[in-house]
Amino acid sequence: MNNISVLTDFEALTNTSNFRKLDTPEGLEKYSIYFGGNFVFISNTGNRTIRFSLGDLNSGAISAEDIHGWLKRIHQLYPNF
């Protein structure tokens, strides 16, 4: 995970940019996952979004295991997310 940022204005961005919403894996229903450009966006119910990029990101090959791993890493960096 590179270029990690915490966004508080993601809803405003979704109105002006084209993001593809990914399916949320079972057990992670309180999160929304989006893909846009070179970035992955994971939003929680507290109106916070983590944005990051990956060097080898292929949106067609994102698995539930990938998302679980990303959230595990995010929770290590931002325990309250």
Side-chain angles (χ1 to χ4, degrees), residues 20-32:
R20 185 169 60 104
K21 189 172 189 316
L22 304 177
D23 292 334
T24 302
E26 188 174 322
L28 299 177
E29 290 81 10
K30 67 179 184 175
Y31 298 100
S32 298

Side-chain angles (χ1 to χ4, degrees), residues 2-14:
N2 303 310
N3 303 314
I4 299 173
S5 300
V6 178
L7 307 174
T8 58
D9 61 348
F10 185 68
E11 283 189 29
L13 286 174
T14 59

Side-chain angles (χ1 to χ4, degrees), residues 2-65:
N2 303 310
N3 303 314
I4 299 173
S5 300
V6 178
L7 307 174
T8 58
D9 61 348
F10 185 68
E11 283 189 29
L13 286 174
T14 59
N15 292 330
T16 60
S17 299
N18 186 20
F19 296 101
R20 185 169 60 104
K21 189 172 189 316
L22 304 177
D23 292 334
T24 302
E26 188 174 322
L28 299 177
E29 290 81 10
K30 67 179 184 175
Y31 298 100
S32 298
I33 299 102
Y34 298 87
F35 176 77
N38 295 326
F39 291 98
V40 174
F41 301 83
I42 300 179
S43 297
N44 67 11
T45 55
N47 200 30
R48 295 290 182 257
T49 301
I50 300 289
R51 179 193 78 181
F52 60 92
S53 64
L54 298 169
D56 59 349
L57 183 60
N58 175 356
S59 67
I62 295 173
S63 68
E65 292 80 26

